[in-house]
Amino acid sequence: MPSKPESPSRRVFLRQSLTAVPAVTLLGPGALAAPTAAAAPTAAAADYAPRYFTQPEWDFIKAAVDRLIPSDADGPGAVELGVPEFLDREMEGAYGHGGYWYMQGPFVPDTPPTLGYQLRYTPREFYRAGIAAVDAWCKGQHGKHFAELTPEQRDDVLHQLEKNQIQLKDVPAGMFFSQLLTNTKEGYFSDPMYGGNKQMGSWKLIGFPGARADFADWSEQPGKPYPFGPASIRGDKT
Amino acid sequence: MTRMKPVDVVIVGFGWTGAILGMELAEEGVNVLALERGSYQDTSPDWIYPNIADELAYGIRGKLFQPLSRETVTIRHALSETAVPYRQYGSFLFGNNVGGAGTHWNGQHYRPSPEDMAFESHIRQRYGAKFMPSDMQIQDYGVSYDELEPFLDQFEYLCGTSGQAGNLNGTIQDGGNPFEGVRKRAYPNPPVATTYGAQLFADAAKSLGHHPFPQPASNASRPYTNPYGVRLGPCNLCGYCERFGCYMYSKASPQTTILPVLMRRSNFELRTNSHVIKVNLDSTGKKATGVTYIDAQGREVEQPADLVIVAAFQMHNVRLMLLSGIGTPYDPNTGKGVIGKNYAYQMMSSMSLFFDQDTHINPFIGAGAGGSQIVDEFNSDHFDHGPYGFVGGAYILGGQTGGRPIQQLAVPPGTPGWGSAWKRAARDSYRHTLSMQTHGSVMAYRDRYLDLDPTYKDAYGQPLLRITFDWHDNEYKMSRYVTDRMLEIAGALNPKPKQQSVTIRQSGDHYDIRQYQTTHTTGGVIMGKDPQTSALNRFQQSWDVPNVFVTGASAFPQNLGYNPTGLIGGLTYWAAKAIRETYLKNPGPMVQS
């Protein structure tokens, strides 16, 4: 019968968390709101060799997520935090292979959108087909692949995909954009152990404490700024 | 086919109602076998800290959800359309493994209002039969609130529910819900501490003359030992409730309230990885002989039993009844037949309110239910509907269940969905956003129902369940009315938000399965007073095959404005008492048709 909810690892974690309290408190709540871009590493994706994406696809992914969540003076962007690595790892897992989805036919892709995803692509197939289609469109339109376009041109292509204004071969543009944006935000905000959100950069940016998951005392201090930086599942803290 | 040794009782599905009936009937001394298609899971090692604090694995990919790759449902909006599969999770979430959806619920634990239990009679008496549209086919449960009260209470004391009584033996209590039915004793635990956002909401509601109260929470506010002797720990508002198991042993689930005792009983057996495909009937079709299931190795196994309890999730109960040929399938053209009838859902609207940088809402400090505040003035029939032309209602909630950033981060209206402007808005909004929502009822209609899909099949080759559902005018009107009341509360907030966004389903909007709404799907094997119009009698016993009972929200004749788990638990204890004291002594119909 459960009577002692704390596991040893939790006790260790809490002890470690507590040792961090004085230093954080000295900085005061304003420290959380400060831009963190200066302290963040750059080009985190450079060290990672993709397993699923081919080189042209990898170039596309980096060029696309860099515009979806850019690095700027406000804080780190998707490339900086390793979102391309996250995406590549997802493609190799059960999710990428469509393991979470019902994938039996018949498929009726022209179903009203309110009835949900009805394509026969698994996520990894969807990315492969979608990237090829966007690159082909860019080649036809601009004479260059997507990754070779200027940031402004890439933004323009992404806007057109989002609004479903581009006819792509075999891929509904809006759905492909939506898939890419959804997964990019997942990689940006999920625990760093999945490859994105390196050094918990996105959590620091918004002020999410991550896996601290213990607010017994803070629930009784309504309206006070929360002073502690984030913790990850593997126990990293800032 | 392998044939197993007969048992007295077989239970199909091992979530909340399966665990309650397993416990209650094992106490009666009969041999009870529960069949669960998933595997075993418990607080430790499955939901330990910090592994559980993983939004991607649990909240987004759905580690505790039933894999749709093996079995899903199909959906269409109207009778004339072809249904397509629910291929990815969106609108509602099925459970999986021991505990089912009872492991990843939020702990929002309500009782029905007294009028909810006899809703058709109540509406007809107060407003006249013509007040209801001709295609609305709402019904009474056949059991009254007063009859059910001791069992609603029993489930609250099992769960260690935290809350403030509103109506104790007929005396209205300060700080509780003045609209609730009479309760004979207070909640077993005091409310969980109110979060800051919820307090702002409650203050605003009070200034308008409403009676906000702490949401009843099966997130224990203090250490608690329930009547079975199982101990729950205090909730620390960690923000990982819905979609997660509770590492603090605070959120009531079968694991934290029943299983530590039940699993030790010698006359109880749990068989996991056992997927029931059919309830077997004898040659008369009036008596169940047991069930057939597919075991972990893929073999078909026959399990004889004297009593069969169908205790899976609402939709799975309906599907198993249809696959087994128990009762007459509902026909939406004639209105005849009962299995699949009166499928209903719930209608929500929501708001995000964005404050300046000095107002720290801290959304990550949250519990599934604890810490939120509720206004119930516009739910059920708590107000005169006469001038408004709809029936039903919604409660209004202010507060937060957690601030997990992939799913729960909101940005102000007009913000682009990506790029630098989105990122800046995410940074500036995250800690300063208050959420409100309305949680509303959906009535039953002639053309909204469940049957077997003619095309799509599960991993075992059996037809999927088909949902035919879309919103009706009554619900658009209900949602508009209660959302306007929520907007009034938002207008009375102090400090004032800088911006706000509202999500509401407008007249003509189709049901959108891509957006999570609630997992509170109901109906299909409904209880009632008449075998012509219901599948089960007032004790949740099949009219057609009296040694089959069906438990869960499949029994609701229409959907109420509250979260269903409190009523599901109460009805299950009500049925358990009838089985223990009446049925087992004299097996057969407990209500003469």
Side-chain angles (χ1 to χ4, degrees):
Chain A
M1 191 187 310
S3 58
K4 185 70 182 166
E6 291 192 354
S7 68
S9 62
R10 173 166 169 73
R11 285 196 294 273
V12 169
F13 173 81
L14 286 175
R15 197 159 58 237
Q16 289 168 347
S17 304
L18 288 172
T19 60
V21 171
V24 177
T25 309
L26 283 176
L27 288 173
L32 272 182
T36 52
T42 51
D47 304 333
Y48 178 82
R51 291 174 62 205
Y52 176 70
F53 291 121
T54 63
Q55 191 58 47
E57 289 168 348
W58 188 239
D59 293 341
F60 173 95
I61 289 289
K62 286 190 289 186
V65 305
D66 177 56
R67 300 314 304 156
L68 294 176
I69 310 180
S71 286
D72 55 26
D74 289 336
V79 172
E80 201 175 322
L81 295 192
V83 170
E85 176 183 341
F86 167 86
L87 294 174
D88 186 65
R89 287 161 61 160
E90 285 296 288
M91 294 304 108
E92 286 295 309
Y95 174 75
H97 285 85
Y100 295 103
W101 298 354
Y102 181 83
M103 291 303 292
Q104 294 185 44
F107 293 89
V108 189
D110 52 357
T111 295
T114 49
L115 292 177
Y117 185 83
Q118 298 295 336
L119 303 181
R120 57 189 280 260
Y121 293 122
T122 62
R124 67 197 326 244
E125 292 165 347
F126 200 20
Y127 273 90
R128 184 140 288 164
I131 292 170
V134 175
D135 263 342
W137 186 87
C138 291
K139 197 88 179 152
Q141 204 72 15
H142 298 284
K144 292 175 177 175
H145 290 118
F146 178 82
E148 297 163 336
L149 302 179
T150 67
E152 293 72 25
Q153 287 173 318
R154 281 182 273 152
D155 283 355
D156 183 54
V157 174
L158 290 168
H159 279 296
Q160 291 188 66
L161 290 172
E162 183 179 26
K163 292 177 188 150
N164 221 11
Q165 290 166 341
I166 298 178
Q167 278 295 320
L168 297 178
K169 186 173 180 294
D170 297 336
V171 176
M175 287 186 70
F176 176 63
F177 176 86
S178 171
Q179 179 79 35
L180 180 64
L181 180 61
T182 297
N183 294 147
T184 297
K185 288 182 179 176
E186 288 168 0
Y188 192 68
F189 283 128
S190 58
D191 190 273
M193 70 181 175
Y194 293 105
N197 193 14
K198 294 200 186 295
Q199 281 88 45
M200 298 177 279
S202 75
W203 294 351
K204 281 184 275 192
L205 176 77
I206 63 170
F208 174 58
R212 285 198 181 273
D214 180 4
F215 305 112
D217 47 357
W218 284 88
S219 68
E220 287 163 14
Q221 302 186 58
K224 282 186 70 171
Y226 185 79
F228 307 129
S232 75
I233 288 173
R234 289 184 177 162
D236 298 321
K237 292 183 298 297
T238 58
Chain B
M1 181 157 59
T2 311
R3 191 167 192 270
M4 306 300 281
K5 192 166 154 264
V7 294
D8 296 321
V9 183
V10 67
I11 297 174
V12 180
F14 201 52
W16 263 129
T17 71
I20 290 171
L21 279 161
M23 186 71 198
E24 290 291 304
L25 299 182
E27 282 192 345
E28 203 58 34
V30 295
N31 289 313
V32 181
L33 166 68
L35 299 173
E36 162 59 39
R37 64 166 143 196
S39 52
Y40 199 76
Q41 57 178 356
D42 207 346
T43 308
S44 176
D46 297 292
W47 311 323
I48 56 168
Y49 181 85
N51 299 355
I52 192 67
D54 183 342
E55 184 182 14
L56 183 72
Y58 293 90
I60 305 300
R61 300 284 181 256
K63 203 167 171 179
L64 301 185
F65 306 160
Q66 173 196 312
L68 294 182
S69 57
R70 298 184 69 78
E71 178 190 329
T72 184
V73 292
T74 66
I75 307 185
R76 58 180 181 170
H77 287 132
L79 284 168
S80 57
E81 296 172 2
T82 301
V84 291
Y86 181 58
R87 297 185 182 275
Q88 306 172 343
Y89 275 113
S91 181
F92 46 79
L93 310 169
F94 296 132
N96 197 41
N97 301 331
V98 163
T103 62
H104 65 71
W105 73 312
N106 253 337
Q108 302 186 355
H109 191 144
Y110 292 91
R111 294 180 172 199
S113 289
E115 65 265 30
D116 289 330
M117 300 309 296
F119 207 59
E120 195 274 336
S121 303
H122 175 87
I123 296 299
R124 187 159 31 80
Q125 279 161 22
R126 184 167 179 183
Y127 304 105
K130 286 188 181 154
F131 197 67
M132 295 172 270
S134 60
D135 62 343
M136 186 186 282
Q137 51 187 21
I138 60 178
Q139 296 181 197
D140 298 353
Y141 281 70
V143 53
S144 73
Y145 174 86
D146 289 339
E147 287 175 302
L148 212 50
E149 201 281 334
F151 306 96
L152 298 167
D153 172 278
Q154 190 175 1
F155 187 51
E156 287 163 358
Y157 274 73
L158 173 86
C159 291
T161 310
S162 305
Q164 166 65 49
N167 182 349
L168 210 47
N169 290 303
T171 307
I172 301 301
Q173 307 290 307
D174 271 354
N177 181 6
F179 300 96
E180 76 178 7
V182 173
R183 59 171 62 243
K184 296 289 168 54
R185 53 177 176 168
Y187 286 99
N189 286 311
V192 175
T194 300
T195 60
Y196 181 53
Q199 192 58 53
L200 297 179
F201 166 86
D203 292 344
K206 252 185 234 166
S207 75
L208 297 174
H210 301 326
H211 299 81
F213 60 93
Q215 181 172 55
S218 280
N219 313 131
S221 58
R222 60 183 178 187
Y224 174 74
T225 303
N226 78 12
Y228 293 143
V230 185
R231 196 162 161 79
L232 288 89
C235 173
N236 68 6
L237 290 100
C238 79
Y240 294 87
C241 271
E242 74 250 305
R243 304 175 176 226
F244 299 82
C246 177
Y247 77 93
M248 289 293 288
Y249 295 85
S250 305
K251 183 173 70 177
S253 67
Q255 284 84 354
T256 54
T257 59
I258 299 172
L259 302 193
V261 176
L262 178 58
M263 296 306 292
R264 290 181 187 165
R265 293 204 63 123
S266 59
N267 60 336
F268 175 81
E269 184 194 347
L270 168 66
R271 241 174 258 160
T272 53
N273 297 301
S274 303
H275 177 90
V276 175
I277 56 171
K278 195 176 185 189
V279 178
N280 301 317
L281 303 177
D282 73 3
S283 57
T284 69
K286 305 272 184 218
K287 187 178 180 214
T289 58
V291 301
T292 298
Y293 67 90
I294 297 173
D295 75 5
Q297 298 181 58
R299 292 177 300 207
E300 275 198 19
V301 179
E302 186 192 348
Q303 176 60 59
D306 291 333
L307 175 59
V308 176
I309 294 171
V310 179
F313 188 76
Q314 173 260 336
M315 290 193 204
H316 305 332
N317 283 349
V318 182
R319 180 167 178 254
L320 191 60
M321 296 291 274
L322 290 166
L323 289 171
S324 306
I326 301 175
T328 310
Y330 174 71
D331 181 341
N333 297 307
T334 63
K336 295 199 162 54
V338 291
I339 306 296
K341 180 185 172 185
N342 282 19
Y343 173 74
Y345 195 35
Q346 286 180 322
M347 190 185 261
M348 327 288 285
S349 65
S350 59
M351 283 189 82
S352 294
L353 299 112
F354 303 93
F355 291 94
D356 63 26
Q357 300 293 304
D358 298 327
T359 303
H360 292 267
I361 301 295
N362 295 334
F364 43 84
I365 303 175
S372 293
Q373 288 271 325
I374 302 298
V375 165
D376 209 29
E377 263 79 354
F378 310 103
N379 205 355
S380 298
D381 200 40
H382 300 165
F383 61 104
D384 181 4
H385 286 65
Y388 306 115
F390 68 86
V391 301
Y395 66 72
I396 308 173
L397 178 150
Q400 58 219 38
T401 62
R404 304 182 302 276
I406 301 173
Q407 202 193 4
Q408 295 179 306
L409 180 147
V411 291
T415 307
W418 51 278
S420 285
W422 169 81
K423 196 177 77 179
R424 178 173 295 177
R427 182 195 67 179
D428 292 343
S429 307
Y430 173 72
R431 280 168 290 166
H432 314 288
T433 308
L434 166 62
S435 302
M436 295 185 189
Q437 61 176 258
T438 74
H439 188 282
S441 59
V442 166
M443 297 300 118
Y445 299 92
R446 190 163 173 153
D447 61 348
R448 304 298 183 234
Y449 76 112
L450 305 169
D451 66 351
L452 294 175
D453 191 273
T455 306
Y456 295 97
K457 298 195 165 24
D458 71 6
Y460 305 104
Q462 290 194 296
L464 299 182
L465 189 73
R466 177 170 67 176
I467 302 171
T468 303
F469 182 77
D470 207 347
W471 310 113
H472 274 235
D473 286 345
N474 184 77
E475 281 63 42
Y476 295 122
K477 286 184 202 166
M478 178 280 296
S479 192
R480 182 72 262 171
Y481 177 78
V482 186
T483 301
D484 285 343
R485 305 290 80 74
M486 174 168 71
L487 289 165
E488 289 166 2
I489 296 172
L493 283 168
N494 181 24
K496 287 210 173 306
K498 290 191 304 181
Q499 281 174 287
Q500 64 189 42
S501 64
V502 183
T503 304
I504 180 171
R505 283 156 188 93
Q506 310 274 9
S507 185
D509 286 350
H510 287 295
Y511 169 44
D512 190 337
I513 69 147
R514 295 169 298 179
Q515 302 162 349
Y516 183 74
Q517 284 153 103
T518 74
T519 295
H520 312 152
T521 58
T522 61
V525 192
I526 64 175
M527 58 194 292
K529 294 185 277 199
D530 178 353
Q532 297 303 313
T533 56
S534 58
L536 309 174
N537 68 25
R538 67 201 299 260
F539 301 109
Q540 295 185 282
Q541 179 181 33
S542 165
W543 290 109
D544 294 279
V545 182
N547 66 334
V548 171
F549 288 72
V550 186
T551 56
S554 46
F556 294 12
Q558 56 277 330
N559 211 340
L560 23 69
Y562 300 108
N563 306 58
T565 306
L567 177 54
I568 290 170
L571 285 171
T572 305
Y573 274 112
W574 156 257
K577 182 180 161 75
I579 296 170
R580 289 179 72 162
E581 297 183 358
T582 305
Y583 179 86
L584 289 178
K585 293 187 178 73
N586 184 18
M590 288 192 283
V591 179
Q592 292 307 318
S593 57

